[in-house]
Coordinates of all heavy atoms in Angstrom, one line a residue:
M1 N 0.8 -1.3 0.0 CA 0.0 0.0 0.0 C 0.9 1.2 0.0 O 2.0 1.4 0.6 CB -0.9 0.0 1.3 CG -1.9 0.9 1.1 SD -3.4 0.4 2.1 CE -4.4 1.7 2.2
G2 N 0.5 2.2 -0.8 CA 1.3 3.5 -1.0 C 1.2 4.4 0.3 O 0.4 4.2 1.1
E3 N 2.2 5.3 0.3 CA 2.2 6.3 1.4 C 1.1 7.3 1.3 O 0.7 7.7 0.2 CB 3.7 6.9 1.2 CG 3.8 8.2 2.0 CD 5.2 8.9 1.8 OE1 6.1 8.1 1.3 OE2 5.2 9.9 2.0
E4 N 0.5 7.6 2.4 CA -0.6 8.6 2.4 C 0.1 10.1 2.1 O 1.0 10.3 2.7 CB -1.2 8.6 3.7 CG -2.2 7.4 4.0 CD -3.6 7.8 3.9 OE1 -4.0 8.9 3.8 OE2 -4.3 6.8 3.9
R5 N -0.6 10.8 1.2 CA -0.1 12.1 0.9 C -1.3 13.1 1.4 O -2.4 12.9 1.1 CB 0.0 12.2 -0.6 CG 1.0 11.3 -1.2 CD 1.3 11.5 -2.6 NE 0.3 11.8 -3.5 CZ 0.5 12.0 -4.8 NH1 1.7 12.1 -5.3 NH2 -0.6 12.3 -5.6
P6 N -0.8 14.2 2.0 CA -1.9 15.2 2.5 C -2.5 15.8 1.2 O -1.7 16.4 0.2 CB -1.0 16.2 3.2 CG 0.5 16.0 2.8 CD 0.6 14.5 2.3
T7 N -3.7 15.9 1.1 CA -4.5 16.4 0.0 C -5.5 17.4 0.3 O -6.0 17.5 1.5 CB -5.2 15.3 -0.9 OG1 -6.2 14.7 0.1 CG2 -4.3 14.2 -1.4
V8 N -5.9 18.3 -0.5 CA -6.8 19.3 -0.5 C -7.7 19.3 -1.6 O -7.3 18.8 -2.7 CB -6.3 20.7 -0.3 CG1 -5.5 20.9 1.1 CG2 -5.4 21.1 -1.4
A9 N -9.0 19.6 -1.5 CA -9.9 19.7 -2.6 C -9.5 20.8 -3.5 O -8.9 21.8 -3.1 CB -11.3 19.9 -2.1
R10 N -9.8 20.6 -4.9 CA -9.5 21.6 -5.9 C -10.2 23.0 -5.4 O -11.3 22.9 -5.1 CB -10.0 21.3 -7.2 CG -9.7 22.1 -8.4 CD -9.9 21.5 -9.7 NE -9.2 20.2 -9.9 CZ -7.9 20.0 -10.2 NH1 -7.2 21.1 -10.2 NH2 -7.6 18.8 -10.5
G11 N -9.6 24.1 -5.5 CA -10.2 25.4 -5.2 C -10.0 25.7 -3.6 O -10.4 26.8 -3.3
E12 N -9.5 24.8 -2.9 CA -9.3 24.9 -1.4 C -8.4 26.1 -1.2 O -7.3 26.1 -1.9 CB -8.9 23.7 -0.6 CG -8.9 24.0 0.9 CD -10.2 24.2 1.5 OE1 -11.1 23.4 1.2 OE2 -10.3 25.1 2.2
K13 N -8.6 27.1 -0.2 CA -7.6 28.2 0.0 C -7.2 28.2 1.4 O -6.4 29.1 1.8 CB -8.3 29.4 -0.4 CG -8.8 29.6 -1.8 CD -9.0 30.9 -2.4 CE -9.5 31.0 -3.8 NZ -8.7 30.4 -4.8
V14 N -7.7 27.2 2.3 CA -7.4 27.2 3.7 C -6.6 25.8 4.0 O -7.2 24.8 3.7 CB -8.6 27.5 4.5 CG1 -8.2 27.4 6.0 CG2 -9.2 28.8 4.3
C15 N -5.6 26.0 4.8 CA -4.8 24.7 5.2 C -5.6 24.0 6.2 O -6.1 24.6 7.3 CB -3.5 25.3 5.8 SG -2.5 23.9 6.6
P16 N -5.9 22.7 6.0 CA -6.7 21.9 6.9 C -5.9 21.6 8.2 O -6.5 21.4 9.2 CB -6.8 20.7 6.1 CG -6.1 20.6 5.0 CD -5.5 22.0 4.7
A17 N -4.6 21.8 8.2 CA -3.9 21.6 9.5 C -3.9 22.8 10.6 O -4.0 22.6 11.6 CB -2.4 21.2 9.1
C18 N -3.8 23.9 9.9 CA -3.7 25.0 10.9 C -4.6 26.3 10.5 O -4.7 27.2 11.3 CB -2.3 25.6 10.9 SG -1.7 26.5 9.5
G19 N -5.3 26.2 9.4 CA -6.2 27.3 9.0 C -5.5 28.4 8.2 O -6.1 29.5 7.9
G20 N -4.1 28.3 7.9 CA -3.4 29.3 7.2 C -3.8 29.3 5.7 O -4.6 28.5 5.3
K21 N -3.2 30.4 5.0 CA -3.5 30.5 3.6 C -2.7 29.5 2.8 O -1.5 29.4 2.9 CB -3.0 31.9 3.2 CG -3.3 32.2 1.7 CD -2.8 33.6 1.3 CE -2.9 33.9 -0.1 NZ -2.3 35.2 -0.5
L22 N -3.3 28.7 1.9 CA -2.7 27.8 0.9 C -2.2 28.7 -0.3 O -2.9 29.5 -0.8 CB -3.6 26.8 0.4 CG -3.9 25.7 1.4 CD1 -4.9 24.7 0.8 CD2 -2.6 25.0 2.0
V23 N -0.9 28.6 -0.6 CA -0.3 29.2 -1.6 C 0.2 28.3 -2.8 O 0.8 27.2 -2.4 CB 0.9 30.1 -1.2 CG1 1.6 31.0 -2.2 CG2 0.5 31.1 0.0
P24 N 0.0 28.6 -4.1 CA 0.5 27.7 -5.1 C 2.0 27.5 -5.1 O 2.7 28.6 -4.7 CB 0.1 28.3 -6.4 CG -1.0 29.3 -6.0 CD -0.7 29.7 -4.6
I25 N 2.5 26.3 -5.4 CA 4.0 26.2 -5.5 C 4.5 26.4 -6.9 O 3.8 25.8 -7.8 CB 4.4 24.8 -5.0 CG1 3.9 24.7 -3.5 CG2 5.9 24.6 -5.0 CD1 4.1 23.2 -3.0
M26 N 5.4 27.2 -7.2 CA 5.9 27.4 -8.5 C 7.2 26.6 -8.7 O 8.1 26.8 -7.9 CB 6.2 29.0 -8.7 CG 6.8 29.2 -10.2 SD 7.5 30.9 -10.2 CE 5.9 31.9 -9.8
Y27 N 7.2 25.8 -9.7 CA 8.3 25.0 -10.0 C 9.2 25.5 -11.1 O 8.6 26.1 -12.0 CB 7.9 23.5 -10.2 CG 7.4 22.8 -9.0 CD1 6.1 22.7 -8.7 CD2 8.3 22.3 -8.0 CE1 5.6 22.0 -7.6 CE2 7.9 21.7 -6.8 CZ 6.5 21.6 -6.7 OH 6.0 21.0 -5.5
G28 N 10.5 25.2 -11.2 CA 11.3 25.6 -12.4 C 11.9 27.0 -12.0 O 11.8 27.4 -10.8
L29 N 12.8 27.4 -12.9 CA 13.4 28.6 -12.7 C 12.5 29.9 -12.8 O 12.1 30.1 -14.0 CB 14.7 28.7 -13.7 CG 15.6 30.0 -13.4 CD1 16.2 30.0 -12.1 CD2 16.6 29.9 -14.5
P30 N 12.3 30.7 -11.8 CA 11.3 31.7 -11.9 C 11.9 33.0 -12.7 O 13.1 33.1 -12.6 CB 10.9 32.0 -10.5 CG 12.0 31.6 -9.7 CD 12.7 30.4 -10.5
S31 N 11.1 33.6 -13.3 CA 11.5 34.9 -13.9 C 11.7 35.9 -12.8 O 11.3 35.7 -11.7 CB 10.5 35.4 -14.9 OG 9.1 35.6 -14.3
S32 N 12.0 37.2 -13.2 CA 12.2 38.2 -12.1 C 10.8 38.6 -11.6 O 10.5 38.7 -10.4 CB 12.8 39.5 -12.7 OG 12.0 40.0 -13.7
E33 N 9.7 38.3 -12.5 CA 8.3 38.6 -12.0 C 7.9 37.5 -11.0 O 7.2 37.7 -10.0 CB 7.4 38.7 -13.2 CG 7.5 39.9 -14.0 CD 8.6 39.7 -15.1 OE1 9.2 38.7 -15.2 OE2 8.9 40.7 -15.8
G34 N 8.3 36.2 -11.3 CA 8.0 35.1 -10.5 C 8.7 35.3 -9.0 O 8.0 35.1 -8.0
F35 N 10.0 35.8 -9.0 CA 10.6 36.0 -7.7 C 9.9 37.2 -6.9 O 9.7 37.0 -5.7 CB 12.1 36.5 -7.9 CG 13.1 35.4 -8.2 CD1 13.7 35.2 -9.4 CD2 13.4 34.4 -7.2 CE1 14.6 34.2 -9.6 CE2 14.2 33.5 -7.3 CZ 14.9 33.3 -8.5
Q36 N 9.5 38.2 -7.6 CA 8.7 39.2 -7.0 C 7.4 38.8 -6.5 O 6.9 39.1 -5.3 CB 8.5 40.4 -7.9 CG 9.8 41.2 -8.3 CD 9.5 42.1 -9.4 OE1 8.5 42.2 -10.1 NE2 10.7 42.7 -9.8
A37 N 6.6 37.9 -7.3 CA 5.4 37.3 -6.7 C 5.6 36.4 -5.5 O 4.7 36.4 -4.6 CB 4.7 36.5 -7.9
A38 N 6.7 35.7 -5.4 CA 7.1 34.9 -4.3 C 7.4 35.8 -3.1 O 6.9 35.4 -2.0 CB 8.1 34.0 -4.6
E39 N 8.1 36.9 -3.4 CA 8.3 37.8 -2.2 C 7.1 38.4 -1.7 O 6.9 38.7 -0.5 CB 9.3 39.0 -2.7 CG 10.7 38.5 -2.9 CD 11.6 39.6 -3.5 OE1 11.0 40.7 -3.7 OE2 12.8 39.2 -3.5
R40 N 6.0 38.6 -2.5 CA 4.7 39.1 -2.1 C 3.8 38.0 -1.4 O 2.8 38.3 -0.9 CB 4.0 39.7 -3.3 CG 4.6 41.0 -3.8 CD 3.6 41.7 -4.8 NE 3.3 40.9 -6.0 CZ 4.0 40.8 -7.1 NH1 5.0 41.6 -7.3 NH2 3.6 40.0 -8.1
G41 N 4.4 36.8 -1.5 CA 3.5 35.7 -0.9 C 2.4 35.0 -1.8 O 1.6 34.3 -1.3
E42 N 2.5 35.4 -3.1 CA 1.6 34.9 -4.1 C 1.9 33.5 -4.4 O 1.1 32.7 -4.9 CB 1.4 35.9 -5.3 CG 1.0 37.3 -4.9 CD 1.2 38.2 -6.2 OE1 1.4 37.7 -7.3 OE2 1.0 39.4 -5.8
Y43 N 3.2 33.1 -4.4 CA 3.7 31.7 -4.7 C 4.7 31.3 -3.8 O 5.3 32.2 -3.1 CB 4.4 31.7 -6.1 CG 3.4 32.0 -7.3 CD1 3.1 33.2 -7.8 CD2 2.6 30.9 -7.8 CE1 2.3 33.4 -8.9 CE2 1.8 31.1 -8.8 CZ 1.6 32.3 -9.3 OH 0.8 32.4 -10.4
V44 N 4.9 30.1 -3.7 CA 6.1 29.5 -2.9 C 6.9 28.9 -4.0 O 6.6 28.3 -4.9 CB 5.7 28.4 -2.0 CG1 6.8 27.8 -1.3 CG2 4.8 29.0 -0.9
L45 N 8.4 29.2 -3.9 CA 9.3 28.7 -4.9 C 9.6 27.1 -4.6 O 10.0 26.9 -3.4 CB 10.5 29.5 -5.0 CG 10.4 30.9 -5.4 CD1 11.6 31.6 -5.3 CD2 9.6 31.0 -6.7
G46 N 9.4 26.4 -5.5 CA 9.5 24.8 -5.2 C 10.7 24.2 -5.8 O 11.0 23.0 -5.6
G47 N 11.6 25.0 -6.4 CA 12.8 24.4 -7.0 C 12.7 24.1 -8.4 O 11.7 24.1 -9.1
C48 N 13.9 23.7 -9.0 CA 14.1 23.4 -10.4 C 14.0 21.9 -10.7 O 13.7 21.5 -11.9 CB 15.4 23.9 -10.9 SG 15.5 25.7 -10.9
I49 N 14.1 21.1 -9.8 CA 14.0 19.7 -10.0 C 12.5 19.3 -9.8 O 12.0 19.3 -8.8 CB 15.0 18.9 -9.1 CG1 16.3 19.3 -9.3 CG2 14.8 17.3 -9.3 CD1 17.3 18.8 -8.5
V50 N 11.9 18.8 -10.9 CA 10.5 18.5 -10.9 C 10.3 16.9 -11.2 O 10.9 16.6 -12.3 CB 9.8 19.3 -11.9 CG1 8.3 19.0 -11.9 CG2 9.9 20.8 -11.6
S51 N 9.6 16.3 -10.5 CA 9.4 14.9 -10.7 C 8.2 14.6 -11.5 O 7.9 13.4 -12.0 CB 9.3 14.1 -9.3 OG 8.0 14.4 -8.7
G52 N 7.2 15.5 -11.6 CA 5.9 15.3 -12.4 C 4.8 14.8 -11.3 O 3.8 14.6 -11.6
D53 N 5.3 14.6 -10.1 CA 4.3 14.1 -9.0 C 4.7 14.9 -7.7 O 5.1 14.4 -6.7 CB 4.5 12.6 -8.8 CG 3.4 12.1 -7.7 OD1 2.3 12.7 -7.7 OD2 3.7 11.2 -7.0
D54 N 4.6 16.2 -7.9 CA 5.0 17.1 -6.8 C 3.7 17.9 -6.2 O 2.7 18.0 -6.9 CB 5.9 18.3 -7.4 CG 7.2 17.6 -8.0 OD1 8.0 17.0 -7.4 OD2 7.3 17.8 -9.3
P55 N 3.7 18.2 -4.9 CA 2.7 19.0 -4.3 C 2.5 20.3 -5.0 O 3.3 20.8 -5.6 CB 3.2 19.1 -2.9 CG 4.6 18.8 -2.8 CD 5.0 18.1 -4.0
Q56 N 1.1 20.7 -5.1 CA 0.8 21.9 -5.7 C 0.7 23.0 -4.8 O 0.6 24.2 -5.3 CB -0.5 21.6 -6.5 CG -0.4 20.7 -7.6 CD -0.8 19.3 -7.2 OE1 -1.1 18.9 -6.1 NE2 -0.6 18.3 -8.2
F57 N 0.5 22.9 -3.6 CA 0.3 24.0 -2.6 C 1.0 23.8 -1.3 O 1.3 22.8 -1.0 CB -1.2 24.1 -2.2 CG -2.2 24.5 -3.4 CD1 -2.7 23.6 -4.2 CD2 -2.2 25.8 -3.6 CE1 -3.6 24.0 -5.2 CE2 -3.1 26.3 -4.6 CZ -3.7 25.3 -5.4
E58 N 1.3 24.9 -0.7 CA 2.0 25.0 0.6 C 1.3 25.9 1.5 O 0.9 27.1 1.0 CB 3.5 25.4 0.3 CG 4.2 25.4 1.8 CD 5.7 25.6 1.6 OE1 6.4 24.9 0.8 OE2 6.2 26.5 2.2
C59 N 1.2 25.6 2.7 CA 0.6 26.6 3.7 C 1.7 27.7 4.0 O 2.8 27.3 4.3 CB 0.2 25.9 4.9 SG -0.5 27.0 6.2
A60 N 1.2 28.9 3.9 CA 2.1 30.1 4.2 C 2.4 30.1 5.7 O 3.4 30.7 6.2 CB 1.4 31.4 3.8
A61 N 1.6 29.5 6.5 CA 1.9 29.5 8.1 C 2.6 28.4 8.5 O 3.7 28.5 9.2 CB 0.5 29.7 8.8
C62 N 2.2 27.1 8.3 CA 2.9 26.0 8.9 C 3.7 25.2 7.9 O 4.5 24.3 8.3 CB 1.8 25.0 9.4 SG 0.8 24.1 8.2
H63 N 3.7 25.7 6.6 CA 4.5 25.1 5.5 C 4.3 23.6 5.1 O 5.2 22.9 4.5 CB 6.1 25.3 5.8 CG 6.4 26.9 6.0 ND1 6.3 27.8 5.1 CD2 6.6 27.5 7.3 CE1 6.6 28.9 5.6 NE2 6.8 28.7 6.9
E64 N 3.1 23.1 5.6 CA 2.8 21.8 5.1 C 2.5 21.8 3.7 O 1.9 22.9 3.2 CB 1.4 21.3 5.9 CG 0.9 20.0 5.5 CD 1.8 18.8 6.1 OE1 2.4 19.0 7.2 OE2 2.0 17.9 5.4
Q65 N 2.8 20.9 2.9 CA 2.6 20.9 1.4 C 1.5 19.8 1.1 O 1.3 18.8 1.8 CB 3.9 20.4 0.7 CG 4.9 21.5 0.8 CD 6.2 21.3 0.1 OE1 6.4 20.1 -0.3 NE2 6.9 22.4 -0.3
Y66 N 0.6 20.4 0.2 CA -0.5 19.5 -0.3 C -0.6 19.2 -1.7 O -0.2 19.9 -2.6 CB -1.8 20.2 0.1 CG -1.9 20.4 1.6 CD1 -1.5 21.5 2.3 CD2 -2.5 19.5 2.3 CE1 -1.6 21.6 3.6 CE2 -2.6 19.5 3.8 CZ -2.1 20.6 4.4 OH -2.3 20.8 5.8
Y67 N -1.1 18.0 -2.0 CA -1.5 17.7 -3.4 C -3.1 17.9 -3.5 O -3.8 17.9 -2.7 CB -1.2 16.1 -3.6 CG 0.1 15.8 -3.5 CD1 0.7 15.5 -2.3 CD2 0.9 15.6 -4.7 CE1 2.2 15.2 -2.3 CE2 2.2 15.2 -4.6 CZ 2.8 15.0 -3.3 OH 4.1 14.6 -3.3
V68 N -3.4 18.3 -4.8 CA -4.8 18.4 -5.1 C -5.5 17.1 -5.3 O -4.8 16.2 -6.0 CB -5.1 19.3 -6.3 CG1 -6.5 19.4 -6.7 CG2 -4.4 20.8 -6.1
E69 N -6.6 16.8 -4.6 CA -7.3 15.6 -4.7 C -7.7 15.3 -6.2 O -8.1 16.3 -6.8 CB -8.6 15.6 -4.0 CG -8.3 15.7 -2.5 CD -9.6 15.8 -1.6 OE1 -10.7 16.0 -2.2 OE2 -9.6 15.8 -0.4
K70 N -7.6 14.1 -6.7 CA -8.0 13.7 -8.0 C -9.5 13.6 -8.0 O -10.0 12.9 -7.0 CB -7.2 12.5 -8.4 CG -5.7 12.8 -8.5 CD -5.0 11.6 -9.1 CE -3.6 12.2 -9.2 NZ -2.5 11.4 -9.8
P71 N -10.1 14.0 -9.1 CA -11.6 13.7 -9.2 C -12.1 12.4 -9.2 O -11.4 11.4 -9.4 CB -12.0 14.5 -10.4 CG -10.8 14.8 -11.1 CD -9.6 14.5 -10.2

């Protein structure tokens, strides 16, 4: 049996663990606009190494990462 992954429903904006704001994770090398958006808290930088099965959101408060539930 596979490892349990923390998930949230599509469109969820609140962290189920602490109630903080869920922020999308941006993968790859960000542009200068991407860095600025991350500084404003609009995105979290996820790094340049992408597996194709990476979490899509991170809580701005507790930093828990979440996958979007599959329909």
